[in-house]
């Protein structure tokens, strides 16, 4: 089972192995490459050296190379393949961006239909209505109007279908 | 360490003829393996797809660490049995790397008769568990079996090495502290239910995985109770109610990912020997093996030429180079790991047997695993040799081989006959791994010799009737005997019956041996200890 | 008015503008005091200040809006003056009055001027009455009953604005006269929500307008100079993204006229300190838009072309010193461009992003200036707007400045949250932007620029290699493979 990274919304599979001489071999996109990352930020791929800046925060890796910064997300294999046919993660709606709550039109216990607005958030003067992914019953409204939150903060939990 | 000085002539017509012959054999092997792995009735593949299941081969690839080798064992098991109804005996077994751990992997091949167990399937499963026990290798089971193949139950149930041995071996492996995980990807019914139940860890896939002693039809027949598969033994019931299985998985791939994470938690015991050095490829092209191995199995060849194409740098430290010349003994390395090699260069005499017995003990003292390269027609016979104690010296070699504490691995490179098989660590001597080359033959004696013995009876009968058989009559009697003997002593038959752990392409042998040696070193080695040598 | 030397200044702000003001204070040998909410404790402004005083509030923003607390801090610190920066209390006349009442110099215009210019309708009338150009308009307050009809009479396109508004909030463009009433209702609701005031006014909307503003500076003695114009037409949802000086579109004649109008308005208002007169420009016409009575975010481009330290001039005139020079002393040289580096995800509709600034390495070099309020080790949070820094470049020509900006953006390394740096590079390379053919709707008309192009194959391989080599699970897996197996690699028998 290969490692998966998301770059620009596309999943890339790769594997890294150690060669007998201590160097690393990267298998990616059907090819094998000799790779090394020096502590001073030099990245060597098949003998070609590039200066790179790299920093990791959790499963997110930020790298500046060839004049641009990019974000890669490491996907843990178990979460990657969890289908949740019981809908367990679909029950929790998270904030797509940081911001503050503008309106909470639904209350716990309320029956909602797919597409119904569950919470309205504001971020950089831009209002976003978070809609229900399915028919269901609201279990928890995690935030009150005016409360600020970070990206991925829990907003609404729907009861089990 | 000196390199072996190869003396082959690649322009020699015999070399070229050998090349063609052995390439054909290698092609035959790869074609047989391909068919055993992939040729399936379309409806079986469609059934798997309909059930949302991956093919067993896809599951295997997803389980393994990419960039690492997988040594598949007994791929052609049952290849000559059941009219070919159970390719690979419906089991995939091998040694691979999962989350950085060397493990034995055993998977029911649900694309063969729904993964039903034939007698040879049971033999292959028991052998896989024996490998795990002997080498202290953790084990991953991928369970998806319809259960025992009832019409043949008398051949796999009651005996010592019957299906019960699977569960006995699982229990013993656990008792030894070697972990097992079962990934339940289909139904595990009746005895099959105990595979996950006896595993230290188990993962079950929601929707398709189920474990029960009796399936819904059996329950209905027995008690009249009507129950669904999920209620009776599904993922959620077993992981949240009965505790028969440990981890629920929402898909096969998630189940495989969970299994990989479980394996990654296991301890990593130290190797029995940890003095491997940086590997070096052989100095001679291994592909030349095809030109070296004679097309006619009765033609002798120099085993040093073979060793030169299996070992690191073709470097070989030969022990007693001038004594007992028909048995080559010496040290070499395979992918950095040291081995002591015993290789036949002719029939065994007293001196070669004594040399072998001595060298086995040297390796045992040195904690060096033994590699037997068989090409042996037997021990020398005759009055003079018996008077010099050939049987007594052969017994010494057998005693040494049987008693050695270090791991032993055997490759049948051509012939393995009679007492030679014993002295050269045949299957009965518990080699940790036993492989055959496609050209190999194994039996009490050579085909020609056996045919002579067998046809002699008939020919004498003709002689009593006062008839002198014509050449054609002799051939008519001998040829079918030879043909049948050749078939039953062939590598294809041997591997079908699980007399070995698989047929290897000579060119795959170096890698296979490296994996086998590494696996064998996973178990601690007892101190040297032997029985009584007849002096 | 007498000169009242300033020795110690409290900065009622945060982030890059606080740092910017501290730099000038340091150069002038004056003491710099900052107030800060706890969330900003580890920012460069606090580190640079001679004294930092923590202020409290139910939210971080509320703390910086708490004038009484800030004045108390200024008194406690022994400051003579308060510099409000931009945003927060900078255009709050009551705060300016309260400073005066507390014996503190408010570094900005007189409270009456703030009041006048803060009321868009009054400001517009003030300007129109003195003969300066304003767009045809209808003001609700003049006669609420006929407001809609008067608006309709102006003809489309129309722009609806909240009377109390600013910064583009609550503005609506109407191109279809039949939906005017609905749009007025929406504008009223938004005005009420954002500003607590639903009053509106409507003016003629100029299609593809350019936003041109003029920097002015007045002293306590009625002298006013302008420091030429800035063009800020590259905007997204009324938020400036790129600002430059001079404007690439104005002829020398137009420049002289628009700058003279701006200086005239400031003079008429008796303007004290630094201010900006904003104009809408289109079809060779320009109309007064509004006057901002504070230092602007984009003030550095003016500083770069004129060589004038606007913060120093603010402090000087606030202390009662005369300008001491005339218009002829202000000379513009070269071309300056400012881009605002934000923590935002252009591809996801510019959604703000947050995260730790794991690496922050601003570019350096000739003609490159970075005004940043955050540094490596800091973080971008949802508490404030997600600005990371302003990058300002200065070169002889606009083309050279664009080139320099591109290089500087390439060298600007920010890791830890997605930024708009890539977007800014694409924007500055756009042919129309390069040609100077810009208008306030250009960014909105080019949504494709917001999409990050797929990375080149070679770059992708480098990224994957770097990610693999610096991810623990990937590296651990490589390190744990048993030796012969790792050496053999992928192999099947």
């Amino acid at each position: 089972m290969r490692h998966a990274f998301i770059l620009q919304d596309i999943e890339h599979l790769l594997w890294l192995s150690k060669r007998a001489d201590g160097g690393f071999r990267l298998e990616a996109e059907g090819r094998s490459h000799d790779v090394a990352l020096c502590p001073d930020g030099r990245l060597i791929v098949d003998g070609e050296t590039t200066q790179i800046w790299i920093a990791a925060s959790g499963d997110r890796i930020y790298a500046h190379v060839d004049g641009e910064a990019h974000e890669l997300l490491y996907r843990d294999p178990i979460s990657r393949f969890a289908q949740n046919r019981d809908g367990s993660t679909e029950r929790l709606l998270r904030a797509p961006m940081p911001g503050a709550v503008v309106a909470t039109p639904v209350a716990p216990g309320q029956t909602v239909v797919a597409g119904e607005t569950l919470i309205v958030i504001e971020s950089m003067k831009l209002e976003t209505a978070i809609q229900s992914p399915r028919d269901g019953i609201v279990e928890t409204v995690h935030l009150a109007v005016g409360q600020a939150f970070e990206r991925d903060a829990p907003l609404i939990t729907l009861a089990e279908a | 360490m000196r390199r072996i000085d190869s003396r082959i002539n690649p322009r020699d017509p015999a070399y070229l003829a050998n090349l063609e012959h052995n390439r054909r054999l290698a092609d035959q092997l790869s074609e047989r393996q391909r068919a055993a792995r992939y040729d399936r009735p379309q409806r079986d593949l469609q059934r798997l797809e309909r059930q949302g299941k991956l093919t067993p081969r896809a599951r295997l690839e997803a389980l393994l660490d990419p960039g690492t080798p997988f040594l598949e064992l007994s791929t052609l098991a049952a290849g000559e049995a059941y009219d070919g109804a159970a390719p690979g005996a419906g089991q995939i077994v091998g040694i691979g790397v999962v989350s950085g751990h060397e493990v034995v992997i055993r998977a029911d091949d649900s694309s063969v008769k729904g993964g039903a167990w034939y007698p040879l399937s049971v033999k292959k499963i028991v052998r896989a568990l024996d490998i795990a026990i002997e080498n202290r290798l953790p084990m991953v089971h991928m369970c998806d079996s319809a259960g025992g193949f009832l019409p043949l139950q008398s051949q796999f149930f009651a005996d010592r090495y019957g299906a019960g041995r699977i569960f006995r071996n699982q229990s013993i492996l656990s008792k030894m502290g070697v972990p097992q995980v079962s990934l339940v990807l289909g139904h595990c019914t009746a005895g099959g239910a105990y595979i996950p139940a006896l595993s230290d860890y188990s993962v079950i896939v929601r929707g398709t995985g189920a474990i029960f002693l009796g399936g819904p039809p059996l329950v209905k027949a027995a008690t009249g109770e009507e129950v669904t598969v999920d209620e009776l033994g599904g993922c959620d019931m077993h992981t949240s109610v009965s505790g028969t299985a440990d981890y629920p998985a929402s898909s096969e791939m998630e189940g495989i990912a969970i299994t990989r994470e479980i394996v990654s938690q296991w301890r990593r015991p130290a190797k029995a020997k940890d003095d491997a050095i940086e590997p070096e490829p052989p100095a001679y092209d291994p592909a030349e093996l095809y030109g070296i191995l004679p097309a006619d199995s009765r033609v002798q060849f120099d085993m040093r030429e073979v060793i030169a194409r299996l070992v690191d740098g073709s470097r070989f430290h030969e022990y007693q180079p001038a004594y007992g010349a028909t048995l080559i003994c010496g040290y070499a390395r395979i992918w950095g790991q040291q081995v002591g090699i015993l290789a036949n260069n002719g029939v065994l005499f007293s001196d070669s047997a004594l040399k072998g017995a001595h060298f086995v003990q040297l390796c045992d003292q040195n904690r060096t695993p033994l590699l037997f390269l068989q090409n042996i027609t037997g021990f020398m016979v005759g009055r003079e040799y018996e008077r010099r104690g050939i049987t007594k010296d052969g017994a010494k070699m057998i005693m040494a081989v049987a008693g050695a504490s270090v791991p032993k691995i055997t490759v049948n490179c051509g012939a393995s006959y009679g007492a030679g098989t014993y002295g050269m660590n045949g299957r009965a001597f518990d080699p940790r791994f036993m492989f055959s080359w496609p050209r190999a033959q194994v039996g009490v004696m050579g085909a020609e010799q056996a045919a002579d013995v067998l046809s002699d009876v008939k020919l004498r009968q003709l002689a009593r009737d006062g008839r002198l058989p014509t050449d054609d009559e002799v051939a008519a009697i001998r040829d079918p005997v030879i043909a049948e003997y050749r078939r039953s002593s062939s590598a294809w038959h041997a591997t079908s019956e699980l007399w070995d752990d698989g047929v290897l392409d000579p060119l795959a042998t170096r890698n296979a041996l490296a994996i086998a040696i590494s696996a064998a070193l996973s178990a601690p080695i007892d101190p040297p200890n032997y029985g009584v040598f007849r002096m | 008015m007498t000169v009242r030397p300033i020795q110690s200044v409290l900065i009622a702000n945060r982030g890059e503008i606080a740092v910017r003001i501290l730099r000038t204070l340091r150069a002038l040998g004056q003491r710099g005091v900052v107030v800060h909410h706890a969330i900003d404790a580890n920012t460069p402004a606090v580190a640079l200040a001679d004294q930092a005083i923590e202020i409290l509030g139910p939210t971080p923003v509320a703390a910086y809006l708490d004038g009484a607390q800030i004045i108390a801090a200024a008194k406690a610190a022994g400051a003579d003056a308060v510099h409000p920066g931009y945003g927060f209390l900078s255009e709050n006349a009551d705060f300016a009055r309260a400073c005066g009442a507390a014996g503190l110099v408010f570094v900005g215009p007189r409270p009456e001027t703030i009041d006048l210019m803060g009321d868009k309708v009054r400001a517009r009338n003030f300007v129109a009455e003195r003969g300066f150009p304003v767009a045809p308009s209808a003001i609700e307050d003049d006669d609420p009953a006929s407001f809609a009809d008067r608006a309709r009479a102006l003809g489309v396109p129309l722009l609806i604005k909240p009377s109390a508004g600013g910064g583009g909030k609550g503005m609506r463009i109407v191109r279809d006269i039949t939906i005017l009433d609905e749009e007025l209702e929406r504008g009223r609701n938004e005005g009420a929500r954002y500003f607590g005031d639903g009053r509106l006014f409507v003016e003629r909307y100029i299609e593809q307008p350019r936003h041109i503003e003029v920097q002015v500076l007045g002293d306590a003695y009625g002298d006013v100079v302008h420091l030429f114009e800035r063009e800020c037409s590259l905007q997204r949802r009324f938020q400036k993204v790129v600002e430059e000086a001079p404007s690439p579109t104005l002829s020398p004649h137009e420049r002289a006229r628009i700058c003279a109008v701006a200086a005239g308005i400031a003079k008429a208002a008796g303007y004290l300190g630094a201010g900006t007169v904003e104009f809408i420009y289109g079809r060779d016409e320009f109309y007064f838009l509004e006057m901002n009575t504070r230092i602007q975010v984009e003030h550095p481009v003016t500083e770069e072309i004129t060589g004038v330290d606007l913060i120093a001039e603010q402090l000087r005139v606030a202390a009662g010193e005369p300008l001491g020079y005339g218009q002829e002393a202000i000379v513009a040289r070269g071309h300056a461009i400012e881009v605002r580096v934000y923590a935002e995800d252009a591809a996801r509709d510019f959604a703000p992003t947050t995260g730790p600034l794991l690496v922050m390495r601003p570019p350096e070099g000739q003609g490159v200036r970075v005004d940043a309020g955050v540094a490596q080790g800091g973080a971008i949070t949802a508490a404030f707007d997600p600005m990371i820094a302003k990058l300002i470049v200065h070169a002889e020509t606009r083309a050279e400045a664009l080139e320099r900006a591109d290089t500087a953006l390439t060298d600007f390394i920010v890791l830890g949250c997605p930024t708009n740096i890539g977007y800014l590079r694409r924007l500055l390379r756009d042919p129309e932007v390069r040609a100077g053919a810009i208008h306030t709707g250009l960014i909105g008309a080019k949504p494709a620029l917001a999409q990050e192009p797929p990375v080149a194959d070679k770059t992708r391989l480098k990224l994957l290699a770097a990610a693999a080599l610096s991810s623990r699970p990937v590296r651990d897996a490589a390190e744990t493979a048993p030796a012969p197996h790792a050496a053999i690699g992928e192999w099947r028998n």
Side-chain angles (χ1 to χ4, degrees):
Chain A
M1 186 173 286
R2 277 161 217 283
H3 303 292
F5 285 89
I6 309 272
L7 170 64
Q8 293 187 325
D9 296 329
I10 296 167
E11 189 172 76
H12 295 272
L13 300 179
L14 57 82
W15 188 260
L16 189 72
S17 15
K18 207 161 189 182
R19 296 193 312 256
D21 64 5
F24 287 100
R25 187 174 53 213
L26 176 77
E27 311 279 345
E29 302 180 340
R31 287 224 184 87
S32 178
H33 307 272
D34 289 336
V35 296
L37 183 60
C38 310
D40 63 5
R42 279 177 305 127
L43 173 75
I44 306 164
V45 177
D46 295 331
E48 200 181 305
T49 303
T50 316
Q51 185 65 40
I52 186 162
W53 282 266
I54 187 153
S57 169
D59 284 337
R60 285 177 200 279
I61 292 154
Y62 301 90
H64 185 108
V65 64
D66 294 341
E68 250 178 301
H70 295 278
E71 182 183 327
L72 295 103
L73 177 67
Y74 171 77
R75 295 293 317 276
D76 175 80
I78 295 179
S79 349
R80 185 174 153 227
F81 289 113
Q83 283 176 358
N84 297 297
R85 265 176 287 181
D86 65 347
S88 59
T89 61
E90 233 180 74
R91 290 175 51 208
L92 179 61
L93 305 177
R94 291 173 180 278
M97 61 191 87
V101 178
V102 174
T104 54
V106 297
Q110 190 174 329
T111 302
V112 293
V113 296
E116 189 170 335
T117 297
L118 300 178
I119 191 166
V120 182
I121 59 170
E122 190 203 271
S123 196
M124 272 298 280
K125 299 165 193 168
L126 174 69
E127 278 186 14
T128 308
I130 306 294
Q131 293 164 339
S132 181
R134 58 176 168 86
D135 297 353
I137 296 166
V138 177
E139 188 172 284
T140 315
V141 179
H142 293 271
L143 297 166
V145 171
Q147 270 188 281
F149 51 81
E150 299 289 329
R151 178 169 69 177
D152 293 335
L155 298 177
I156 298 278
T157 302
L158 296 173
E160 274 187 63
Chain B
M1 217 150 80
R2 277 168 300 168
R3 283 201 172 86
I4 291 171
D5 187 15
S6 178
R7 304 209 167 140
I8 60 153
N9 174 9
R11 274 178 293 278
D12 181 350
Y15 178 94
L16 295 170
N18 294 344
L19 200 65
E20 204 193 316
H21 174 80
N22 286 304
R23 273 193 190 140
R24 208 164 46 235
L25 274 180
D27 289 346
Q28 210 182 103
L29 169 63
S30 73
E31 170 53 25
R32 281 172 187 252
Q33 289 187 330
R34 188 204 57 73
R37 286 169 181 154
Y38 302 107
D39 280 357
R40 298 290 183 273
Q42 197 58 35
R43 65 187 153 78
D44 286 339
L45 297 175
Q46 282 166 346
R47 179 176 45 80
L48 288 183
E49 205 182 325
R50 209 168 45 241
Q51 294 171 330
K53 289 179 175 179
L54 297 169
T55 66
R57 295 280 159 185
R59 290 168 177 167
L60 173 69
E61 291 300 326
L63 177 70
L64 292 166
D65 284 3
T68 61
F70 177 68
L71 174 60
E72 186 173 343
L73 302 174
S74 300
T75 312
L76 300 179
E80 308 224 315
Y82 323 123
D83 295 324
Q91 293 288 314
I92 302 169
V93 167
I95 293 175
V97 181
V98 174
S99 298
H101 289 68
E102 286 172 81
V103 295
V104 175
I105 298 166
R106 183 203 66 79
D108 293 310
D109 188 341
S110 46
S111 65
V112 175
K113 304 276 177 195
W117 291 352
Y118 282 72
L120 285 169
S121 315
V122 171
K123 194 172 183 186
K124 190 167 169 178
I125 300 170
V126 170
R127 172 62 190 152
L129 279 152
D130 277 340
I131 290 171
I133 289 171
E134 288 170 9
N135 301 289
R136 305 252 174 124
L137 285 178
M139 202 157 167
V140 178
H141 300 271
M142 295 203 275
C143 309
D144 188 359
S145 165
F149 185 65
L150 275 180
L152 297 177
Q153 66 86 24
S154 69
Q155 295 174 40
F156 68 72
F157 182 69
D159 201 5
R160 184 172 178 204
Y161 290 99
R165 194 77 184 182
I166 297 170
F167 313 115
R168 177 267 180 195
N169 274 0
Q170 278 193 279
S171 308
I172 297 301
L173 190 58
S174 181
K175 171 184 149 113
M176 291 168 74
V178 182
Q180 289 171 78
V181 56
S182 278
L183 171 57
V184 180
L185 299 148
H187 290 189
C188 293
T189 317
Y194 288 109
I195 289 194
L198 289 168
S199 293
D200 300 341
Y201 298 84
S202 61
V203 183
I204 180 166
V205 177
R206 185 173 294 121
T208 44
I211 306 169
F212 27 57
L213 285 184
L218 194 108
V219 169
K220 177 112 198 300
T223 68
E225 186 185 14
E226 289 205 32
V227 63
T228 67
V229 165
D230 267 353
E231 288 165 351
L232 188 61
C235 165
D236 292 308
M237 197 287 284
H238 276 317
T239 55
S240 66
V241 179
S242 76
T244 304
D246 304 321
Y247 303 82
S250 62
S251 67
E252 291 206 358
M253 285 303 279
E254 191 195 359
I256 291 168
I258 294 170
T259 303
R260 286 176 52 79
E261 199 170 284
I262 290 167
V263 174
S264 75
Q265 306 305 313
W266 293 346
R267 73 196 176 92
R268 206 181 293 274
K271 292 275 178 190
K273 194 172 159 77
D274 195 15
D275 62 354
I277 60 171
E278 196 181 311
E280 185 187 7
Y284 300 104
D285 184 356
E288 290 168 350
L289 283 172
Y290 291 151
I292 292 161
L293 301 171
D296 182 344
S297 59
R298 286 167 304 185
V299 175
Q300 189 64 39
F301 59 95
D302 187 354
M303 249 330 168
R304 284 184 197 83
E305 298 287 359
V306 172
I307 295 169
R309 285 156 185 86
L310 292 179
V311 305
D312 287 15
S314 306
R315 296 173 204 278
F316 187 56
H317 172 86
E318 193 169 342
Y319 171 71
Q320 287 191 339
Y323 184 77
T326 58
L327 184 70
I328 302 166
C329 296
Y331 296 105
R333 287 184 182 268
I334 294 178
W335 283 99
Q337 307 169 109
Q338 195 196 28
V339 283
I341 298 173
L342 291 92
N344 302 118
N345 239 18
V347 70
L348 285 162
F349 293 94
S350 278
D351 56 356
S352 25
L354 291 171
K355 174 181 172 180
H358 191 93
F359 185 68
V360 165
Q361 293 179 77
L362 290 179
C363 288
D364 206 359
Q365 290 282 357
N366 205 43
R367 315 274 82 184
T368 303
L370 290 163
L371 171 61
F372 294 85
L373 299 177
Q374 296 181 330
N375 185 30
I376 180 66
T377 50
F379 286 89
M380 195 62 204
V381 294
R383 186 175 59 186
E384 186 55 29
Y385 297 100
E386 291 293 357
R387 285 176 64 84
R388 283 195 223 148
I390 182 74
T391 302
K392 187 176 78 167
D393 292 334
K396 289 190 186 83
M397 186 174 177
I398 292 168
M399 184 66 79
V401 167
S405 301
V406 290
K408 298 167 290 179
I409 294 163
T410 301
V411 181
N412 182 353
C413 303
S416 181
Y417 293 130
T421 301
Y422 310 151
M424 288 299 288
N425 194 44
R427 187 66 154 179
F429 290 76
D430 285 346
R432 296 287 182 87
F433 296 93
M434 162 98 214
F435 301 107
S436 308
W437 282 354
R439 64 194 293 278
Q441 295 192 306
V442 61
V444 170
M445 59 187 79
E448 309 287 332
Q449 208 183 343
D452 286 346
V453 173
L454 290 166
S455 48
D456 197 43
V457 185
K458 283 195 175 176
L459 294 173
R460 257 184 295 173
Q461 208 171 353
L462 285 175
R464 269 201 302 277
D465 296 348
R467 285 184 52 207
L468 199 65
T470 62
D471 285 356
D472 282 354
E473 279 173 323
V474 172
I477 292 167
R478 263 182 109 247
D479 288 356
V481 176
I482 289 184
E484 172 53 23
Y485 195 91
R486 283 220 172 108
R487 190 197 64 78
S488 64
S489 61
S490 72
W492 311 126
H493 182 73
T495 205
S496 173
E497 293 295 316
L498 283 129
W499 296 344
D500 61 20
D501 296 312
V503 179
L504 288 177
D505 183 329
L507 302 197
T509 305
R510 178 176 153 77
N511 287 354
L513 289 174
I515 295 163
I517 295 162
S518 178
L521 291 172
S522 302
I525 305 172
D526 289 338
N529 176 29
Y530 292 91
V532 177
F533 290 95
R534 178 170 294 279
M535 297 297 174
Chain C
M1 173 129 191
T2 52
V3 177
R4 194 185 143 184
I6 293 171
Q7 254 115 44
S8 176
V9 178
L10 179 127
I11 299 161
N13 215 305
R14 60 176 299 282
E16 70 86 16
I17 194 64
V19 173
R20 165 74 194 87
I21 296 164
L22 283 167
R23 291 238 159 83
T24 289
L25 290 174
R26 181 149 293 185
L28 296 174
Q30 297 175 7
R31 202 161 161 273
V33 181
V34 295
V35 287
H36 69 91
H37 182 267
I39 200 172
D40 283 334
N42 293 319
T43 57
V46 171
L48 263 173
D50 295 301
Q51 187 182 351
I53 298 171
E54 188 177 329
I55 49 174
L56 310 170
T59 66
V61 168
Y64 289 101
L65 288 171
D66 187 341
Q69 197 182 173
I70 289 167
I71 287 169
K75 295 303 283 180
D80 327 298
V82 173
H83 195 307
Y86 53 71
F88 295 126
L89 296 165
S90 62
E91 290 172 291
N92 184 320
D94 291 339
F95 178 69
R97 275 186 203 99
C99 284
L104 296 163
V105 174
F106 177 78
V107 182
R110 298 178 184 92
E112 312 84 78
T113 321
I114 299 175
D115 271 337
L116 168 67
M117 293 303 174
D119 185 326
K120 301 304 160 201
V121 176
R122 267 182 70 206
R124 189 179 175 285
N125 289 344
F126 175 88
V127 167
E129 281 159 15
R130 279 154 188 81
F132 298 114
V134 293
S137 64
I139 299 165
E140 184 167 25
D141 274 358
D142 288 352
D143 177 16
S146 66
F147 175 53
D149 291 334
R150 284 182 287 126
R152 204 167 276 115
L154 295 173
V156 286
L158 292 173
L159 184 63
I160 302 171
K161 296 178 174 183
S163 294
K169 274 189 179 174
M171 291 208 255
R172 315 193 71 81
I173 297 164
V174 180
R175 291 195 176 83
D176 175 1
I177 202 74
T178 62
I179 61 163
L180 178 67
D181 290 334
E182 293 161 41
E183 292 290 307
L184 285 173
E185 194 51 40
R186 285 209 185 93
R188 195 165 279 124
N189 288 342
E190 283 179 23
R193 202 168 78 228
Y194 287 123
F195 311 109
D197 180 348
R199 291 175 306 142
L200 298 173
F201 78 98
V202 168
E203 66 183 22
R204 165 76 54 74
Y205 178 68
I206 295 175
E207 292 288 359
Q208 302 204 341
R210 302 173 82 116
H211 175 113
I212 293 174
E213 61 187 31
V214 177
Q215 177 71 51
V216 296
L217 196 56
D219 65 13
Y221 311 97
D223 282 333
V224 170
V225 293
H226 69 78
L227 290 96
F228 300 104
E229 83 286 3
R230 298 185 284 260
E231 169 143 11
C232 317
S233 300
L234 290 172
Q235 305 181 349
R236 200 185 68 81
R237 297 179 193 247
F238 303 107
Q239 292 296 306
K240 294 161 188 170
V241 177
V242 179
E243 300 105 341
E244 58 186 312
S247 160
T249 196
L250 293 184
S251 67
H253 172 70
E254 284 174 316
R255 172 168 299 117
R257 223 184 113 223
I258 203 167
C259 290
V261 166
I265 291 169
K267 201 169 174 64
Y271 197 85
L272 168 64
T276 300
V277 185
E278 296 190 340
F279 296 96
I280 188 150
Y281 175 99
R283 291 181 237 132
D284 304 327
E285 293 287 332
F286 62 88
Y287 300 122
F288 171 78
L289 198 59
E290 62 180 41
M291 181 164 189
N292 295 320
T293 58
R294 52 171 156 85
I295 192 76
Q296 301 266 103
V297 176
E298 59 272 24
H299 75 274
V301 292
T302 300
E303 294 188 324
E304 292 304 310
I305 61 162
T306 61
V308 174
D309 179 339
L310 284 169
I311 303 292
E313 292 305 293
Q314 277 190 300
L315 291 165
R316 221 163 53 75
V317 297
E321 284 186 42
L323 277 177
Y325 47 79
Q327 187 61 57
E328 69 290 344
I330 312 290
V331 181
R333 189 187 65 80
H335 197 97
I337 298 173
E338 173 182 284
V339 292
R340 299 190 187 185
V341 176
Y342 277 108
E344 63 185 16
D345 192 340
R348 290 187 173 80
D349 200 22
F350 295 89
T353 58
T354 56
L357 289 169
L358 302 169
V359 175
M360 161 112 171
R361 193 175 165 276
E364 290 168 357
Q366 177 76 31
V368 176
R369 166 177 166 183
V370 176
D371 284 11
V374 288
Q376 185 163 310
I380 301 296
T381 69
F384 303 104
D385 84 349
M387 186 154 85
I388 295 170
K390 304 183 306 197
L391 166 69
I392 306 104
V393 294
H394 185 215
E396 281 306 310
T397 65
R398 187 172 186 269
E400 284 166 0
L402 283 167
E403 196 57 46
R404 188 161 283 177
D406 185 67
T407 306
L409 284 168
T410 304
D411 294 342
F412 203 143
I413 295 151
V414 180
L415 301 180
C417 52
T419 73
N420 65 344
I421 290 175
Y423 172 73
L424 291 171
R425 285 185 69 201
R426 295 194 290 280
L427 179 63
L428 295 187
R429 285 176 183 176
D430 180 80
E432 284 173 66
V433 172
R434 293 195 76 87
I438 53 179
H439 56 87
T440 57
L442 183 126
I443 284 180
K446 290 179 180 282
L449 285 176
Q451 297 312 312
E452 198 180 315
V455 288
D457 291 353
K458 239 180 150 174
T459 303
R460 185 171 62 243
L461 177 61
K462 290 177 195 171
L463 286 166
L464 293 175
L469 287 163
S470 49
S471 289
R472 279 304 299 266
V474 178
R475 225 173 151 132
D476 290 350
E479 302 276 4
T480 52
H485 303 76
I488 291 169
E490 186 141 331
W491 174 83
R492 301 289 182 264
N493 61 308

